[in-house]
Amino acid sequence: MEILRRLAEAYPGSARDLCELEFADPFQLLVATILSAQCTDERVNMVTRDLFARYPSPESLAAADPEEVERIVYPTGFFRAKAANVLKVSTAVAERGGAVPLTMDELTRLPGVGRKTANVVLSVAFGEPGLPVDTHVARLSKRLGLTQSGDPVKIEAELMSWVPPEETGPLSLRLILHGRRVCKAKKPDCPSCVLADICPSATLP
DNA sequence: ATCCCGAGGG
DNA sequence: CCCTCTGGAT
């Protein structure tokens, strides 16, 4: 898919430039993704580093003082709910011997993990097929004319039909990142968008 | 003043 | 379906 190939070029390899991508470890990526809602990617990365510097393993995080976890994740917003979810997920993963599950069913059964988070972990951490469709990706897909649907599951299926399953990992976070940084809800930055020339919604000055 | 945003709960 | 959680951005 041309669109996705261009995004891969626009956000090249340097993993640390991509939201959450520096957390190659499945558990760290899972936690970073839980923290990522309604929060800049820089802040997610900073907080996730703080959290794992203090609590390096699922076991240590599961045993953490909830108030200390709340304090650390505070800058990401929704801090009480997120801290509670991080603790619950840590307990669940610790009980599994530290292994993050690798199927959609098992992942979404974890507390605080929905389809978007599961698709990030599946595609990025495990190389399994999956594309996270959050509001950023939904908006981007609509503007590009890739979907008419507003249903994230339908959008996911439509996007999947264009992407080789083994390529979803490198693209997952780039789609989100492009939606956040360029194809923004309010003031889309079309002049700096690598897709502007093939986007039916692009407005150039 | 209102929106943002993913997950879960009612 | 609708609501809540948070503080920061607009």
Side-chain angles (χ1 to χ4, degrees):
Chain A
M1 180 184 210
E2 169 66 11
I3 287 164
L4 298 180
R5 192 187 61 73
R6 286 206 209 178
L7 286 180
E9 283 176 16
Y11 303 99
S14 175
R16 66 184 66 86
D17 292 336
L18 292 183
C19 172
E20 302 159 306
L21 200 51
E22 65 184 87
F23 302 107
D25 172 75
F27 181 67
Q28 294 199 7
L29 180 71
L30 174 60
V31 170
T33 306
I34 287 172
L35 297 178
S36 72
Q38 196 189 358
C39 170
T40 66
D41 31 304
E42 292 85 359
R43 220 184 286 255
V44 173
N45 287 342
M46 190 192 68
V47 166
T48 307
R49 279 194 296 270
D50 289 350
L51 193 61
F52 284 105
R54 178 81 177 78
Y55 306 106
S57 66
E59 291 77 12
S60 59
L61 195 45
D65 171 18
E67 286 186 15
E68 174 71 356
V69 175
E70 285 184 6
R71 192 185 62 72
I72 295 173
V73 306
Y74 178 83
T76 68
F78 294 157
F79 69 95
R80 267 184 278 269
K82 284 180 181 177
N85 284 148
V86 164
L87 287 170
K88 286 189 220 159
V89 158
S90 302
T91 302
V93 171
E95 278 169 1
R96 299 172 39 94
V100 175
L102 83 190
T103 66
M104 173 63 73
D105 273 0
E106 288 179 293
L107 280 165
T108 52
R109 237 173 264 138
L110 296 174
V113 179
R115 193 174 181 91
K116 180 245 176 177
T117 303
N119 272 322
V120 169
V121 172
L122 283 173
S123 60
V124 178
F126 294 129
E128 296 289 325
L131 286 174
V133 179
D134 60 5
T135 55
H136 303 293
V137 177
R139 180 177 66 246
L140 179 70
S141 305
K142 244 181 173 168
R143 284 181 176 160
L144 281 166
L146 298 177
T147 180
Q148 268 67 249
S149 175
D151 174 7
V153 179
K154 276 188 190 155
I155 297 173
E156 183 187 319
E158 286 167 333
L159 291 179
M160 287 296 295
S161 73
W162 286 101
V163 189
E166 69 276 9
E167 273 183 48
T168 57
L171 293 167
S172 289
L173 296 178
R174 289 179 171 89
L175 282 171
I176 296 172
L177 197 62
H178 193 67
R180 281 188 159 175
R181 292 192 182 166
V182 180
C183 195
K184 297 176 287 188
K186 295 232 170 112
K187 228 186 67 176
D189 190 7
C190 300
S192 61
C193 179
V194 294
L195 306 172
D197 63 312
I198 53 172
C199 179
S201 312
T203 51
L204 300 170

